[in-house]
Amino acid sequence: GAGVSQSPSNKVTEKGKDVELRCDPISGHTALYWYRQSLGQGLEFLIYFQGNSAPDKSGLPSDRFSAERTGGSVSTLTIQRTQQEDSAVYLCASSSRLAGAPGGNEQFFGPGTRLTVL
Amino acid sequence: AQTVTQSQPEMSVQEAETVTLSCTYDTSENNYYLFWYKQPPSRQMILVIRQEAYKQQNATENRFSVNFQKAAKSFSLKISDSQLGDTAMYFCAFMKLNYGGSQGNLIFGKGTKLSVKP
């Protein structure tokens, strides 16, 4: 498939455990975004990778959250010492670098990972 | 900071009728994009329509059109000839352009749950 993929689709964990969520962007897309979708907060931006530039981490809610993007492709979002308020759907999106490029202003979303912290 | 407001948490429409979803936003930016995304129960976010702020002409995509009022910071979505498959959450989103034309992250409204009734 040519779309954004995320794994796992569902993750249930116990409070205090660490979790890793994976995102495979569309091949060739240099921009990658993580968002969180929860009932109380709606859709929130978490972090943004653009090529080789330093990531924009301004949306990360706490230092328990971190993300990496290896080789300019796959990204992993890590949540340490999970809390019940971390329960949400975590969405990944990718796009071309420039808004003026074909499809460049569209972010293509993956199906999300539903995280449940017990 | 930019904010996006969707004042209609839920709406319903009869099949084949027309419905308009409201969205207002607040920004001091001059260069930006506006989007409507659709999220059906499958959780997959799908782009419905986009509007560049510098374009005065309202965007249209088949049965979907927008009424973009830049001065009023309003961006409503009109769905004509509503179909059962249009049932979904609809999110209005704002994206500013960074220096050099690269795009920023999306800022979403809280969403409007649209139900199309047979």
Side-chain angles (χ1 to χ4, degrees), chain B residues 6 8 10 24-25 42 48 60 69 82 84 94 99 108 116:
Chain B
Q6 292 179 250
Q8 305 149 317
E10 291 192 42
T24 58
Y25 60 96
S42 68
V48 174
T60 62
Q69 301 290 329
S82 297
L84 297 178
F94 171 99
Y99 178 77
F108 290 92
V116 180

Side-chain angles (χ1 to χ4, degrees), chain A residues 48-117:
Chain A
Y48 162 42
F49 295 90
Q50 176 61 282
N52 294 322
S53 301
D56 177 354
K57 304 179 182 179
S58 61
L60 294 178
S62 78
D63 58 7
R64 297 186 296 104
F65 288 73
S66 63
E68 290 184 341
R69 188 176 186 193
T70 55
S73 181
V74 172
S75 178
T76 302
L77 177 69
T78 301
I79 308 173
Q80 295 178 310
R81 305 181 302 280
T82 52
Q83 304 294 314
Q84 288 182 332
E85 61 263 28
D86 299 335
S87 296
V89 175
Y90 290 82
L91 294 169
C92 175
S94 71
S95 69
S96 300
R97 178 180 183 273
L98 293 176
N105 54 34
E106 178 178 356
Q107 294 184 20
F108 296 83
F109 283 81
T113 295
R114 181 179 295 281
L115 175 66
T116 302
V117 182

Side-chain angles (χ1 to χ4, degrees), chain A residues 3 10 20 27 32 36 45-46 51 59 64 67 70 77 90 96:
Chain A
N10 288 283
E20 287 189 350
S27 177
L32 186 147
R36 178 170 71 174
F45 162 71
L46 296 177
R64 297 186 296 104
T70 55
L77 177 69
Y90 290 82
S96 300

